[in-house]
Amino acid sequence: MKRGFLLAIVAAAISLSLSAQSYENSRYYNPNSGRLDYSKGSHSLGIDAGDTYYGFRIGPSFSTIHSGIDELNGKKSQTGLTIAVVTGIPLTHNVPLFFETGLMYTEKGGKKNSHEEKILYNLNYLEIPLVVKYVYEFDNDFSIQPMFGGYLSCGVAGKTKDYDTREAVRSFSRNYFRRFDGGLRIGCGVGFNVVYLDFVYDIGLANISHDPFESAHNGCFYIDFGVNF
């Protein structure tokens, strides 16, 4: 838990550092004042075609692990934390279509909780989203932003806790889970001025089980809050 908390702080620090580096590249940056001026260069506070945008995200994650191996099967949802910094790169200057990527710290895993046993799986990742997003503006303030693509991630920490035996082992070990994961990402965001909210689901396609005969896959639903600038 302490390691996960420290990793969350590190990810937040990285996110803030990257955001600070992108500050002067924002389409709203005013070199005369050294600040972001949202009346500068656009009639809209939304994202226009051809613009590059940057964003910060934070929110809860709700994850599961599906496996043919009973000892790795965490079908019940586990709640975690997500912190991310993203950038949207325009794919065309005429249509508000963007390639969005960035760096994300996310806590995944699952639970097994029955009258026979109680096991908690914690899998914490550094993740790179790779999605295409379309920004549909209803007016100068409000937009809907559907997205589709994938993700790549590397496990950095986590423990599997068996409450019946009172044992805790590293989740990313030979008897449990592989560190590397990847899969599909689908979701939709909502923008209001610079404020942003999205709902995203990760479908794990990579086999994260070390067992040569059975597989295990992550599934994770996110609700992220943040800003775009």
Side-chain angles (χ1 to χ4, degrees):
M1 183 68 180
K2 291 181 179 179
R3 182 178 294 181
F5 181 70
L6 289 174
L7 286 170
I9 294 176
V10 170
I14 293 173
S15 298
L16 290 174
S17 175
L18 291 175
S19 296
Q21 292 175 16
S22 303
Y23 187 87
E24 293 186 4
N25 294 325
S26 170
R27 65 191 186 280
Y28 298 127
Y29 182 72
N30 188 331
N32 295 324
S33 64
R35 299 179 179 180
L36 298 182
D37 180 0
Y38 294 109
S39 64
K40 174 182 177 291
S42 175
H43 67 281
S44 170
L45 299 185
I47 299 170
D48 295 324
D51 287 335
T52 297
Y53 65 86
Y54 307 91
F56 178 77
R57 313 278 188 260
I58 187 169
S61 59
F62 308 93
S63 58
T64 56
I65 301 172
H66 295 275
S67 176
I69 311 172
D70 185 62
E71 65 179 10
L72 300 183
N73 207 0
K75 289 184 177 180
K76 293 192 174 181
S77 179
Q78 161 83 327
T79 303
L81 173 69
T82 298
I83 302 174
V85 60
V86 300
T87 182
I89 303 167
L91 297 177
T92 172
H93 291 285
N94 300 318
V95 178
L97 189 66
F98 301 86
F99 173 70
E100 185 176 288
T101 187
L103 181 64
M104 184 177 195
Y105 169 80
T106 180
E107 296 175 345
K108 296 184 178 181
K111 293 179 184 178
K112 183 187 297 182
N113 195 350
S114 67
H115 64 280
E116 297 178 351
E117 57 185 346
K118 180 181 179 181
I119 301 177
L120 183 65
Y121 305 96
N122 293 312
L123 290 79
N124 304 331
Y125 293 92
L126 284 180
E127 191 162 295
I128 299 175
L130 304 163
V131 300
V132 175
K133 174 182 285 188
Y134 180 80
V135 179
Y136 179 79
E137 291 192 348
F138 288 92
D139 54 35
N140 290 345
D141 298 317
F142 183 72
S143 66
I144 296 291
Q145 305 176 21
M147 70 186 81
F148 178 78
Y151 72 92
L152 297 172
S153 60
C154 177
V156 292
K159 288 187 176 182
T160 295
K161 300 178 182 179
D162 189 325
Y163 285 85
D164 295 325
T165 62
R166 308 296 294 177
E167 293 180 347
V169 299
R170 289 183 301 167
S171 295
F172 298 109
S173 62
R174 290 187 176 181
N175 295 327
Y176 286 91
F177 302 100
R178 300 177 186 271
R179 288 188 181 274
F180 293 98
D181 186 25
L184 298 177
R185 171 167 294 188
I186 186 170
C188 188
V190 178
F192 183 77
N193 291 345
V194 297
V195 179
Y196 182 79
L197 167 69
D198 69 16
F199 304 90
V200 179
Y201 190 76
D202 280 354
I203 304 171
L205 298 181
N207 179 14
I208 61 172
S209 169
H210 275 289
D211 191 294
F213 302 103
E214 299 288 350
S215 62
H217 300 274
N218 278 314
C220 190
F221 175 70
Y222 305 96
I223 302 175
D224 292 327
F225 306 88
V227 294
N228 288 326
F229 59 91

